[in-house]
Amino acid sequence: MSTHPDPNLSILLDRIRDGDDAATGELLNAAYTDLRSMAGNLFRGESAGHTLQPTALVNELCIRLLKAPQTGWDDRNHFFKVAAHAMRNLLIDHARARGAVRRGGDQKGGNQGDGNRGGGGRRVTLDSLELAAGKDTIDLLALDETITRLSAFNERLGTIFELRFLAGLTVEQTAEVVTISPRTVEKDCRFIRAWLHRELDL
């Protein structure tokens, strides 16, 4: 996400809230580069032949946001929070469609040992989550279940996970979107890492 907010986004958001149907498509077009950057972070370390690529993810995201039954987003920060959450949901939908795998273990069916092909669920690299530990990858479905529990415990922590670890926003960008201080983001990120290490036995 750009470190310099586009003033046009605020104008487009105002138009959406005023009932201008055409403004939603214009907004997604204006924000496409930022959304593509967010999606690209999710695929660091993935093979080029992965069945779902960043551009496809963003295109699906835009379709989902266009169809969303809503009157608009509160502001630019709200828009990117909604977008990050929708990306997570799309990845989970894609993983479930390909079949779940046991958390941290071998897959049942498909190509053994490869969570990115065959019938198994998608796996994400711990590197991309800044969670250097004993395992190389995490089953995305297990990760989603863990983050759902984290969000139930504290909704802000779930949002920070989506923005900081999945969408790849910087500490400063995350702080801006969540409207808290960078120091609080850093503190929350330490808690999130500890939570994931405990819950996923990393």
Side-chain angles (χ1 to χ4, degrees):
M1 194 173 82
S2 173
T3 55
H4 302 290
D6 184 348
N8 290 329
L9 294 187
S10 296
I11 295 172
L12 290 167
L13 287 164
D14 287 339
R15 285 174 53 193
I16 291 170
R17 285 192 295 273
D18 290 339
D20 186 342
D21 294 336
T24 300
E26 294 179 39
L27 173 70
L28 294 175
N29 185 60
Y32 191 89
T33 299
D34 284 333
L35 295 174
R36 177 61 176 74
S37 177
M38 289 166 63
N41 182 71
L42 296 171
F43 291 84
R44 287 189 305 182
E46 298 283 4
S47 64
H50 190 277
T51 57
L52 184 64
Q53 290 295 303
T55 299
L57 175 62
V58 174
N59 290 342
E60 286 189 42
L61 170 68
C62 289
I63 291 171
R64 180 168 291 195
L65 292 178
L66 279 170
K67 291 181 177 179
Q70 44 119 38
T71 57
W73 297 276
D74 295 338
D75 52 28
R76 176 180 177 275
N77 292 340
H78 183 215
F79 169 75
F80 282 109
K81 281 196 286 188
V82 170
H85 186 68
M87 279 188 188
R88 173 183 160 195
N89 287 341
L90 280 168
L91 289 172
I92 295 305
D93 290 347
H94 189 261
R96 284 178 177 149
R98 298 171 63 206
V101 295
R102 296 197 306 274
R103 182 175 72 181
D106 293 333
Q107 299 175 43
K108 297 177 181 179
N111 294 326
Q112 294 296 319
D114 185 350
N116 296 326
R117 303 188 193 95
R122 184 176 183 272
R123 300 177 76 84
V124 291
T125 63
L126 292 183
D127 236 12
S128 67
L129 300 178
E130 297 182 353
L131 291 168
K135 295 181 182 177
D136 293 329
T137 61
I138 294 178
D139 173 14
L140 183 58
L141 297 178
L143 178 63
D144 182 67
E145 292 171 0
T146 300
I147 296 305
T148 297
R149 293 194 297 272
L150 176 66
S151 298
F153 169 72
N154 185 309
E155 184 177 359
R156 186 182 77 197
L157 293 174
T159 297
I160 288 175
F161 173 84
E162 291 173 345
L163 294 170
R164 178 78 180 99
F165 295 103
L166 284 185
L169 272 61
T170 65
V171 168
E172 290 73 18
Q173 290 168 338
T174 302
E176 177 192 348
V177 171
V178 186
T179 63
I180 57 178
S181 70
R183 177 175 294 184
T184 300
V185 171
E186 291 174 341
K187 181 184 71 174
D188 285 352
C189 285
R190 288 194 293 271
F191 182 91
I192 291 168
R193 290 188 185 97
W195 177 285
L196 294 178
H197 276 266
R198 184 185 71 238
E199 294 294 310
L200 294 173
D201 191 28
L202 300 177

